[in-house]
Amino acid sequence: MEPRTLAALAVVLIAAAVFAAVHFRSARPHSVRAPDPVNEAAHARTSGPVTDGAGAPELSPGPPPATGPGGHIVVDVSGKVRSPGIHQLPSGARVADALRAAGGARPGVDLTGINRARVLMDGEQIVVGAPPGPPAAGSTGGAAAGGGSPTSGPVSLNRATLEQLDTLPGVGPVLAQHIVDYRTQHGGFRSVDELREVNGIGDRRFADLQPLVGP
């Protein structure tokens, strides 16, 4: 063979050998580095909130109850409590809050008949440990219907509730509220004659109420 042909053949063989070596090297398996473990704390920060089961986010409390003028109410807690008297509470307070403000009931006092979850009104009186007042006049005919006095005795101006005062003849919800307001502002009634000073009570109405009420 001629030298030129031999040189060309040698170049082809060398190229084939190089190609085979490269192909063989690329076909060999390579080791792969394992990924780093994910930090649990980082996963907790990036993961979204759990929306089911025990891990559900707690609901935020609702808006606070609306407050009245000045943001507080004044109630009179009397009877068998450690600190009876006038107490100022935030608007929306309940009977249980008034009892706590008065130092709680005395030992042995039965609170079964008191609804401690009831929301209080400004100027209200809470009597602890006393027998219930006279029933409201209804279809059976009471003080408001017949004009007579309640069967259980005179209504106490210092302890009666709005509902009890409303049972008196000639006293409606508005006048009952005036009586409670006067009681709150003056620390109670010292005598029945002070009823004349309540707004809306004239001589004739006082004459009708005098035998039916007491301090």
Side-chain angles (χ1 to χ4, degrees), residues 162 166 171-178:
L162 285 171
D166 193 12
V171 177
V174 175
L175 187 54
Q177 184 63 55
H178 288 171

Side-chain angles (χ1 to χ4, degrees), residues 83-104:
S83 301
I86 305 297
H87 296 278
Q88 180 174 301
L89 300 170
S91 293
R94 301 178 183 269
V95 173
D97 300 321
L99 294 179
R100 281 193 293 269

Side-chain angles (χ1 to χ4, degrees), residues 28-120:
R28 284 168 48 184
H30 297 277
S31 61
V32 179
R33 183 173 179 270
D36 295 332
V38 179
N39 188 288
E40 293 183 1
H43 178 72
R45 288 193 299 268
T46 57
S47 61
V50 180
T51 58
D52 59 348
E58 295 183 0
L59 298 177
S60 59
T67 58
H72 65 271
I73 59 174
V74 177
V75 296
D76 180 12
V77 185
S78 61
K80 298 179 181 180
V81 292
R82 292 186 174 90
S83 301
I86 305 297
H87 296 278
Q88 180 174 301
L89 300 170
S91 293
R94 301 178 183 269
V95 173
D97 300 321
L99 294 179
R100 281 193 293 269
R106 296 177 182 174
V109 176
D110 185 12
L111 300 178
T112 303
I114 298 179
N115 181 8
R116 285 167 281 180
R118 182 173 57 82
V119 178
L120 294 168

